Amino acid sequence: MKISESASYPHPVLAHWSGDISEASFTVTMDLAEDIGTGKVAIRCETMLDHPELLALLEAGSAGFGCFITCRETGFRRLQPFGLPTGVHEFAPGALLGLVQLRPLIWAKEDIHGYSPTGAHPEFGGGMDIRAGDILALDDEQRVNVLRPPVASIESIFEIAASDEVVEGLFEVDPGGDRVLIRMGQETYQLVQNLRESDTASRAVVMNSLYVPVVMEVLHRLSHGPEDFQSHRWFEPFHRRCDAFDVSLEGGALLSDAQKMLNLPFGGLGQLIDQEGLDDAD
Amino acid sequence: MPTEPVKLLSAGVVESLFEGISDNLPLYRSGDFLGMARSNGWEIETELVSWDPTVVSVLDPSGSPDAEVKNSLLIYAALEGMTPALARDERLWARLCHVECLVYARDRWLRGDDRDAGLVRSHFFAGGVTGARDDNAIGRLWWNAHVARLALPDDPALALRRLLARANNRLQIFDRADTAFRQPLVSGIVRLLGDEPWLDSDDKAIAYFMREVNKRSGGFVFEALEPEAVDDHLRRCVAFAKASQVATDVG
């Protein structure tokens, strides 16, 4: 279930980013426990809620508390009720894998007439009719990783090729195939290959000068519509790597995101230079 | 029925096969990979899933909706212990399509012309979510039945008949997993596929409908509703979809 934090509802919703209800809070802490041997995964919730009407509705069974759980890898999309103030749910082995998104929420389990929560903004008037299924409170989405398969090497996603159609000194990025193709003139290609194969320091230079702008370009294109690339074989490992480094496909800080995904290549280069300095000192 | 552990390829073997599709086209079209399969990396046994390999002999490669329903039920029942997480593993589906289920995958998908390399890439491998779920010759059958059981746990065969009645039904529903894989919604959608003739009027109707379902189903907890209330919501989506189709046709 997609929930936008900028969405407005026709009734008051308790959320720390919303001004609908003041002087109350709804905060959920979640922990993940994995048993690698059995593949079982359990999620434990600890909830802090200090709003009198919401507590009363939950107590009476007119409202429910839980998390909407989304796992793209396994297709799992489920509203999972949890106990209050603490609750644990154990999932079947293999139900979750990789990135799991957890959205804590309180919802109406039945129609509620004249809902007028304490602290509601005056614009909501003297009372609202709530339908069963309406959201009454939200907390931040949290993310956990379940038995993530090893992250593919970023270089396995790309293919470097020589092309007579590209001016020497330039390179072009073509994400329309099984791998993201980086095309360059024959001489540039040879230079890049030599640098990649010569030593660790040269390899780090290539990571900075070639892969950082290429990853930026791919992130830029994905920000305009990842669905155009989902059928390409490179998309899935690239997406997994984005998740692993908490990089959004919706665009943002391209330069810092690209460096994160490459494991901060300048840091690696810096370490190498420091190491060379030490070697020289010896 | 005698069962045996399901085998997986190593990641390296999958990669090497993927890079060698063109060279291996004759094997995909009329040979087999049994010679290669004696090498390392072709028989990684998993203790988690077992199966009766004789099921392969009764798979129907005709591609008809009836055949897809029957095959989906057979594969789902045959793979004991399979989980959604394992069903995302390319190594498992690639092994089945290159060894045990090679003849079925060939007869079902290959055409004997210059499209074959692309068809092998799509249907004998399983890269990514959509590769395992929608494209792989065997993986898609398991996922068909998995979603059908989510929709109608007591009658997955009926759910399959409705989901697979038109190729576009499956495509449109599976493509909108954020909406359509929510149990109350997919159950309602499958109920409606049996009750609303307009959805079977042409291939475009389901696309208009799913677009409206996707647009109108966020920010609301359908899990709190009775099935009748979900059906009311989906019928409103049908009304919007019909209006949208009329507006498009007029425009």
Side-chain angles (χ1 to χ4, degrees):
Chain A
M1 175 165 51
K2 284 185 180 168
I3 291 176
S4 165
E5 294 181 359
S6 59
S8 58
Y9 295 84
H11 56 276
V13 172
L14 174 61
H16 71 80
W17 59 84
S18 149
D20 289 0
I21 298 175
S22 58
E23 296 178 21
S25 59
F26 171 53
T27 310
V28 181
T29 308
M30 278 176 278
D31 299 310
L32 172 78
E34 290 181 74
D35 183 330
I36 306 289
T38 63
K40 285 184 182 169
V41 173
I43 291 175
R44 180 177 176 278
C45 263
E46 191 163 331
T47 303
M48 205 287 290
L49 173 68
D50 59 5
H51 191 276
E53 280 86 2
L54 284 173
L55 284 166
L57 288 169
L58 288 161
E59 179 75 20
S62 302
F65 161 70
C67 292
F68 196 87
I69 300 175
T70 302
C71 176
R72 184 174 176 273
E73 295 280 330
T74 62
F76 191 96
R77 273 91 172 167
R78 183 192 292 173
L79 180 71
Q80 180 58 54
F82 280 91
L84 281 170
T86 59
V88 180
H89 183 79
E90 191 173 274
F91 295 85
L96 303 173
L97 175 73
L99 176 71
V100 180
Q101 297 159 275
L102 309 154
R103 170 69 77 173
L105 71 163
I106 296 170
W107 69 94
K109 293 173 78 173
E110 57 190 39
D111 293 348
I112 301 166
H113 301 291
Y115 180 58
S116 180
T118 302
H121 193 280
E123 72 180 3
F124 292 108
M128 317 274 308
D129 285 342
I130 301 290
R131 298 170 301 161
D134 277 339
I135 291 170
L136 302 177
L138 289 166
D139 192 18
D140 290 323
E141 180 181 279
Q142 298 178 40
R143 295 171 167 212
V144 294
N145 275 305
V146 175
L147 296 177
R148 170 170 294 285
V151 177
S153 153
I154 195 82
E155 288 182 88
S156 70
I157 295 167
F158 299 100
E159 181 176 345
I160 302 173
S163 168
D164 294 335
E165 295 171 9
V166 183
V167 176
E168 288 296 346
L170 294 178
F171 58 86
E172 294 179 352
V173 180
D174 176 7
D178 293 322
R179 290 179 175 169
V180 175
L181 187 62
I182 307 167
R183 288 184 302 199
M184 56 193 71
Q186 187 65 46
E187 289 176 23
T188 312
Y189 173 78
Q190 205 51 57
L191 173 67
V192 168
Q193 292 300 81
N194 291 343
L195 284 170
R196 286 175 77 205
E197 290 163 10
S198 57
D199 57 44
T200 314
S202 303
R203 192 175 181 80
V205 171
V206 175
M207 292 296 278
N208 280 283
S209 59
L210 182 65
Y211 286 107
V212 168
V214 168
V215 172
M216 287 173 68
E217 174 68 13
V218 174
L219 287 170
H220 172 68
R221 296 205 193 183
L222 288 173
S223 70
H224 292 294
E227 61 277 2
D228 292 343
F229 301 101
Q230 280 171 353
S231 62
H232 296 299
R233 200 174 169 80
W234 60 263
F235 178 82
E236 192 61 29
F238 190 89
H239 191 193
R240 278 213 298 273
R241 201 170 177 91
C242 286
D243 287 343
F245 291 94
D246 207 19
V247 167
S248 167
L249 292 188
E250 292 171 5
L254 295 180
L255 180 58
S256 62
D257 285 348
Q259 291 179 85
K260 272 197 281 185
M261 289 181 65
L262 292 164
N263 270 338
L264 306 179
F266 240 103
L269 189 55
Q271 286 169 19
L272 286 166
I273 291 166
D274 291 346
Q275 186 61 47
E276 283 173 8
L278 288 173
D279 292 346
D280 290 346
D282 292 341
Chain B
M1 287 189 299
T3 60
E4 58 184 57
V6 167
K7 299 183 182 76
L8 285 72
L9 301 179
S10 71
V13 168
V14 173
E15 190 66 23
S16 141
L17 284 168
F18 193 78
E19 288 177 355
I21 290 172
S22 299
D23 293 341
N24 290 330
L25 260 186
L27 301 182
Y28 286 107
R29 284 176 170 150
S30 59
D32 63 52
F33 291 84
L34 296 178
M36 283 191 206
R38 285 192 284 271
S39 311
N40 285 338
W42 278 77
E43 292 200 6
I44 301 170
E45 287 192 1
T46 170
E47 295 173 358
L48 302 170
V49 190
S50 58
W51 77 317
D52 170 16
T54 61
V55 71
V56 177
S57 62
V58 289
L59 294 177
D60 176 354
S62 67
S64 70
D66 282 349
E68 295 291 275
V69 169
K70 185 185 123 199
N71 294 343
S72 300
L73 292 169
L74 283 168
I75 285 294
Y76 195 86
L79 291 168
E80 292 175 22
M82 180 63 91
T83 67
L86 275 168
R88 277 282 289 103
D89 197 320
E90 179 173 32
R91 300 170 304 161
L92 185 150
W93 300 125
R95 158 79 197 198
L96 290 176
C97 287
H98 284 80
V99 183
E100 292 89 350
C101 303
L102 172 65
V103 174
Y104 164 78
R106 168 194 299 148
D107 293 346
R108 171 70 180 88
W109 291 104
L110 299 192
R111 300 287 175 268
D113 57 25
D114 58 6
R115 290 172 292 180
D116 277 357
L119 292 168
V120 166
R121 195 170 288 120
S122 295
H123 300 296
F124 289 66
F125 295 85
V129 170
T130 56
R133 190 190 69 192
D134 301 338
D135 299 330
N136 181 272
I138 304 300
R140 60 179 275 116
L141 299 174
W142 188 89
W143 281 98
N144 285 345
H146 177 70
V147 174
R149 282 172 56 89
L150 183 69
L152 299 182
D154 296 331
D155 198 348
L158 176 63
L160 276 167
R161 282 197 293 278
R162 292 178 178 175
L163 286 167
L164 303 176
R166 289 175 176 273
N168 209 29
N169 285 1
R170 186 195 195 281
L171 179 70
Q172 295 295 332
I173 292 168
F174 279 51
D175 263 5
R176 291 184 168 82
D178 271 336
T179 300
F181 281 23
R182 291 172 67 181
Q183 197 275 333
L185 288 172
V186 75
S187 291
I189 289 165
V190 168
R191 284 194 296 273
L192 202 61
L193 284 171
D195 296 343
E196 173 53 62
W198 177 76
L199 287 172
D200 197 31
S201 57
D202 62 31
D203 258 356
K204 290 182 193 163
I206 187 73
Y208 281 106
F209 170 64
M210 285 307 300
R211 205 172 298 148
E212 295 297 331
V213 174
N214 204 41
K215 193 161 70 179
R216 298 173 190 283
S217 303
F220 192 78
V221 181
F222 290 95
E223 290 75 1
L225 303 188
E226 295 297 324
E228 295 75 20
V230 175
D231 291 348
D232 288 344
H233 166 72
L234 294 174
R235 288 198 178 283
R236 283 194 291 278
C237 292
V238 168
F240 280 113
K242 287 178 178 174
S244 175
Q245 186 181 35
V246 169
T248 305
D249 290 348
V250 170

